[in-house]
Amino acid sequence: MARLLIIEDEAKAADYLQRGLTENGHVVDVARDGIEGRHLASEGRYELVLLDVMLPGLDGFEVLKAIRARGQLPVLMLTARERVEDRVRGLQDGADDYLVKPFAFSELLARVGALLRRSAGPAAGAPTSWRLADLELDLERRRVQRAGKRIELSAKEFQLLTLLLRRRGQILSRTTLAEQVWNMNFDSGTNLVEVAVRRLRAKLDDPFMPKLLHTVRGMGYVLEDRST
Amino acid sequence: MKAHDNASCPYSIGRRLSWKLAGLAAVGLSLLGLLVFFAVRMQVAQAQQHLMDLRVQKVLDIARKAAADGADPAERAAAYAMRRSGTRLEITDARGGLVYRDPDQAPFLLSPHVVERRFEAKLGTALAEPLRFHLVVDANDDAELLHRLGLILAVVVPVGTLAIGMAALVTVRRGLAPLRELARQTREIQPDHLGSRLVLAPPVEELQPWVDQFNAMLERLERAYLQLENFNADVAHELRTPLANLIGQTEVSLSRERAASDMRETLQSNLEELLRLSTLVHDMLFLSRADRGVSARRGAARSLASLLTEVAEFHEAALEERGLHVRVDGDALVAVDEGLVKRAVSNLLDNATRFAEPGSTLRIVIESAAEPAAGSAVRITVENRGATIAPEHLPRLFDRFFRVDSSRPDGGSHHGLGLAIVAAIARMHEGRTQAASSGGLTRIGFELAPQAPRTRPPVHEPPDTADAPGHHGAAGAAQAA
């Protein structure tokens, strides 16, 4: 999908990030310190940089400055610190997003995807209706049908389904759903998402076959047709 | 703790008081000395005048007697001269002619300090012309008396001042002894003797309020310290269960050859446990950040009702499952950290949901202490119908890991930091928590100060600390109060 650069000195973290991102279709290179990272990032071969803040040689903020001095390469900062000042500083210095360790890999994947889509520019003529198997969603008329039968959804359930459809095939974590559907940027209360998904599933999947809304244990939910 | 030696303090109560007392003594004694001196001088002058009156009378008596006897006044005056030692008499007639004058020799030579009086008198028959008398009395003794008095006072005043100053120094030092005693007792308070308190025997009226406050502070610190110790134990306990699961499951899976699907099952289960741990760590770091005094980052003022309606919508599904309803009452326009306030209210709703009677309606109440006037505190309360919480539990509701009833069936699904986080968020907005429960109605909430005071310096955090609300991807087990 895309060429990514990971600048991370901690071997274990760098390895699992590389493995995970490669398995998700990206081409991934790793730099083990700030100086190497700055050098690789300046070659202009990458579409996104994952940048750890605490690095030997040259810290993440310095690398970020060097990258910004050259252009608009998207940067996702990773850190074990979440001082607000750090986050503000990172974003002010031009980081595109910020993720605090420990984070769920699915979360990282979602953010990488979002950044890549953002830098690819807005998709021309965003669709106003979606179709998956026998499920149809019409955004303009706010109607959902399955197998020709109308399904009544609450406003939030409709938003939830829209998001799942728009990102169908991708695992969306509870945190992502809470953030995107309910505008809740905190992590407690993710069981509330579970309940909401359960209720959506009762209307969407229970009376029909095949099942479309799947739970990926420990990671989140994905909407896809697995019957084919 | 750095001990200050006396020299490094520019201000000393003891020295100041001693100098002030010495100064006051100097002024007081000087005034007293002057008063004594002038009073004595006045008395002396009066005595001199009185004496003069007597002498004048005597002179006149003698002169009249002489006139009556037909004797020459000058001769009579001379005859009596020796009986007037220390005086000089001069008699002239009306035209200024000298009638009599004491000779210019001892004992008629007088010192420079004299008292004199001129008077005239008609002697004998009415036709005789008046004689003029000039009587001078030596006042040397009196002058010397005053001189000596002056000298004595000039010595007594500085010596007295010095003596009072020294006495003041000693007295003040002794008076301040309780302070040194308090310093000594304070020095002995150590983390392993947290129970010790300051005691002044006998109590000192001026110091007792301070001692009481200090002891009250120790009390609070001791409680906080114990709470911290318990907190550590609780944290360890909370960590133990997921860790035990992780270790056990991993060991069992690895002990045999297993199908990939079984391994997958184990890893998924492990992931769930790990996410629980991650959430716990994030929440604890959030609390520690609040403990360090980090304050909220407030945005622009906005309607709390619309903000909290979002939170209510977030809970909608879970509430409906329990047959509960939620309503937002009231509104206020206030600048808050929206993410934090939403989190706090979400935690309160979680808590209320667990304790609410099925079928009842939860209320999120927004009140400003005084009507919309900017600058008044705003109170956000979540109210539910349900079992009344015992009054002794109310103040502890916001303690970390506190559970009213640890045997609740859903006790395992939340880690007991929810309301502690509410309290932390209130503190980050310079507010505080409130809880009341009676007659089956429980109201738990918090107050928000309308705007952060500007006077507080920003808190600088040590660079090695991590922590965590907001963006981090851990989705996990159910978290609530």
Side-chain angles (χ1 to χ4, degrees):
Chain A
M1 248 162 107
R3 246 191 123 81
L4 310 183
L5 174 64
I6 297 171
I7 309 177
E8 165 71 86
D9 62 308
E10 206 209 329
K12 226 171 160 168
D15 287 348
Y16 95 77
L17 286 174
Q18 187 175 26
R19 207 171 96 193
L21 288 167
T22 306
E23 281 172 7
N24 277 275
H26 300 289
V27 179
V28 184
D29 291 332
V30 175
R32 303 281 175 181
D33 64 50
I35 293 164
E36 189 194 348
R38 185 176 58 179
H39 174 70
L40 285 176
S42 68
E43 288 181 357
R45 289 188 289 138
Y46 301 101
E47 287 158 64
L48 178 85
V49 176
L50 300 173
L51 177 59
D52 186 40
V53 171
M54 309 262 264
L55 287 172
L58 199 61
D59 87 1
F61 293 119
E62 294 297 321
V63 177
L64 178 61
K65 262 185 211 148
I67 292 173
R68 276 292 155 270
R70 296 184 58 89
Q72 284 307 307
L73 177 59
V75 175
L76 173 56
M77 300 276 274
L78 308 176
T79 182
R81 302 192 283 179
E82 204 231 12
R83 298 193 300 161
V84 173
E85 298 92 284
D86 270 8
R87 184 156 19 152
V88 169
R89 187 177 159 198
L91 295 176
Q92 270 173 356
D93 285 359
D96 297 272
D97 206 347
Y98 206 97
L99 211 48
V100 181
K101 297 175 185 175
F103 48 80
F105 186 75
S106 53
E107 187 69 19
L108 176 83
L109 210 54
R111 282 168 195 269
V112 166
L115 283 179
L116 289 173
R117 276 197 303 281
R118 202 198 296 168
S119 64
T128 57
S129 66
W130 277 273
R131 178 182 284 274
L132 179 68
D134 55 351
L135 171 70
E136 287 170 65
L137 181 142
D138 185 332
L139 201 56
E140 277 175 348
R141 290 159 62 204
R142 303 195 76 77
R143 276 169 68 110
V144 179
Q145 288 188 59
R146 190 156 180 198
K149 278 187 210 148
R150 175 108 185 244
I151 300 175
E152 293 297 336
L153 295 180
S154 74
K156 286 293 166 191
E157 284 165 348
F158 187 84
Q159 272 187 47
L160 179 59
L161 181 60
T162 308
L163 181 66
L164 286 163
L165 260 174
R166 194 177 274 164
R167 311 264 293 268
R168 61 183 175 271
Q170 285 177 36
I171 299 170
L172 298 178
S173 72
R174 294 173 182 81
T175 310
T176 306
L177 294 178
E179 207 176 303
Q180 309 253 330
V181 177
W182 288 276
N183 196 19
M184 297 288 137
N185 293 309
F186 53 90
D187 188 47
S188 40
T190 41
N191 62 323
L192 299 171
V193 177
E194 254 171 67
V195 177
V197 169
R198 198 189 310 147
R199 291 172 67 84
L200 175 62
R201 181 179 282 147
K203 294 179 182 176
L204 184 76
D205 263 356
D206 285 1
F208 303 101
M209 279 306 273
K211 305 299 177 202
L212 297 176
L213 182 48
H214 305 279
T215 302
V216 183
R217 247 182 102 190
M219 292 174 74
Y221 304 96
V222 60
L223 194 70
E224 63 189 352
D225 184 2
R226 290 178 176 174
S227 63
T228 51
Chain B
M1 238 185 322
K2 209 166 89 186
H4 283 272
D5 53 303
N6 294 337
S8 69
C9 295
Y11 186 93
S12 150
I13 293 180
R15 282 202 299 277
R16 281 274 166 124
L17 274 181
S18 304
W19 277 114
K20 282 198 175 148
L21 282 173
L24 283 175
V27 172
L29 285 178
S30 304
L31 283 175
L32 188 69
L34 286 174
L35 196 71
V36 166
F37 184 79
F38 285 108
V40 168
R41 202 167 82 166
M42 214 165 79
Q43 285 299 319
V44 165
Q46 269 180 9
Q48 283 170 345
Q49 290 305 322
H50 185 64
L51 207 63
M52 180 61 89
D53 289 346
L54 290 178
R55 288 181 189 251
V56 165
Q57 200 54 51
K58 192 90 181 171
V59 166
L60 283 175
D61 283 353
I62 291 166
R64 287 208 177 92
K65 198 152 184 291
D69 294 351
D72 178 16
E75 266 176 36
R76 199 55 74 82
Y80 278 92
M82 296 314 285
R83 291 165 63 179
R84 295 184 279 107
S85 71
T87 65
R88 274 181 72 84
L89 180 63
E90 194 181 284
I91 304 171
T92 48
D93 59 25
R95 289 177 303 279
L98 185 65
V99 178
Y100 170 79
R101 176 191 279 162
D102 283 328
D104 286 336
Q105 61 187 51
F108 301 107
L109 289 179
L110 304 182
S111 74
H113 304 283
V114 294
V115 180
E116 55 188 327
R117 188 177 296 178
R118 290 169 197 276
F119 55 95
E120 49 185 53
K122 282 188 181 172
L123 301 175
T125 52
L127 55 112
E129 37 180 35
L131 285 177
R132 286 178 183 163
F133 295 78
H134 181 203
L135 183 61
V136 183
V137 178
D138 192 330
N140 197 41
D141 287 353
D142 293 340
E144 249 176 50
L145 174 79
L146 285 176
H147 182 65
R148 274 198 303 275
L149 179 66
L151 275 179
I152 289 171
L153 288 176
V155 171
V156 162
V157 167
V159 168
T161 300
L162 201 65
I164 289 176
M166 305 269 276
L169 193 66
V170 171
T171 313
V172 167
R173 271 189 72 80
R174 199 167 292 169
L176 292 178
L179 284 182
R180 282 191 296 279
E181 169 63 13
L182 286 179
R184 188 191 62 76
Q185 290 186 16
T186 310
R187 210 163 27 241
E188 283 174 6
I189 298 172
Q190 300 289 338
D192 52 338
H193 290 106
L194 271 182
S196 48
R197 296 285 178 269
L198 300 188
V199 182
L200 268 189
V204 179
E205 188 191 336
E206 289 82 357
L207 289 177
Q208 203 53 42
W210 185 86
V211 169
D212 291 343
Q213 287 306 314
F214 190 86
N215 283 341
M217 186 188 79
L218 283 179
E219 193 80 39
R220 289 194 296 274
L221 281 180
E222 187 185 1
R223 262 208 309 274
Y225 193 82
L226 289 178
Q227 206 179 328
L228 202 64
E229 283 185 339
N230 292 339
F231 182 62
N232 284 342
D234 288 337
V235 167
H237 184 75
E238 291 290 330
L239 293 177
R240 186 151 55 186
T241 315
L243 283 176
N245 292 348
L246 282 170
I247 294 170
Q249 285 183 351
T250 310
E251 272 183 345
V252 170
S253 325
L254 290 176
S255 62
R256 287 249 160 103
E257 278 303 315
R258 285 184 202 280
S261 62
D262 286 353
M263 291 305 252
R264 188 180 172 77
E265 182 81 8
T266 307
L267 282 175
Q268 284 175 334
S269 163
N270 284 359
L271 181 59
E272 282 171 359
E273 295 295 342
L274 288 168
L275 290 173
R276 257 173 79 177
L277 288 177
S278 169
T279 308
L280 180 63
V281 167
H282 280 306
D283 285 352
M284 281 168 50
L285 288 172
F286 177 77
L287 288 175
S288 106
R289 213 162 74 99
D291 287 347
R292 283 201 307 277
V294 173
S295 53
R297 298 172 69 83
R298 300 181 188 237
R302 67 165 286 181
S303 154
L304 282 185
S306 80
L307 190 71
L308 301 188
T309 303
E310 279 183 22
V311 182
E313 280 172 358
F314 187 40
H315 284 254
E316 208 170 47
L319 290 169
E320 275 177 26
E321 283 218 330
R322 291 184 168 240
L324 296 169
H325 306 277
V326 63
R327 198 167 86 212
V328 180
D329 285 342
D331 195 2
L333 212 61
V334 60
V336 295
D337 185 318
E338 295 179 12
L340 292 184
V341 168
K342 285 198 279 192
R343 184 177 188 181
V345 174
S346 180
N347 286 358
L348 287 173
L349 273 177
D350 263 333
N351 187 66
T353 306
R354 279 187 293 117
F355 293 95
E357 257 169 34
S360 63
T361 297
L362 309 182
R363 281 175 68 213
I364 303 174
V365 185
I366 306 164
E367 302 162 298
S368 12
E371 274 309 297
S376 61
V378 171
R379 187 184 307 140
I380 300 173
T381 320
V382 174
E383 186 184 286
N384 73 276
R385 297 222 144 262
T388 302
I389 300 172
E392 69 266 23
H393 290 323
L394 285 177
R396 298 200 54 210
L397 281 181
F398 298 95
D399 287 359
R400 289 154 203 199
F401 298 114
F402 177 77
R403 290 183 177 107
V404 172
D405 180 4
S406 48
S407 63
R408 290 212 144 249
D410 54 354
S413 69
H414 61 100
H415 57 46
L417 288 180
L419 290 185
I421 286 173
V422 173
I425 289 171
R427 277 205 308 281
M428 291 166 92
H429 286 87
E430 286 80 33
R432 56 206 170 75
T433 52
Q434 293 170 331
S437 184
S438 64
L441 200 65
T442 300
R443 303 168 51 106
I444 304 180
F446 56 100
E447 261 182 24
L448 299 174
Q451 195 44 270
R454 295 281 150 108
T455 49
R456 216 159 81 177
V459 174
H460 294 285
E461 297 169 60
D464 57 336
T465 52
D467 100 85
H471 292 229
H472 49 69
Q479 314 307 336

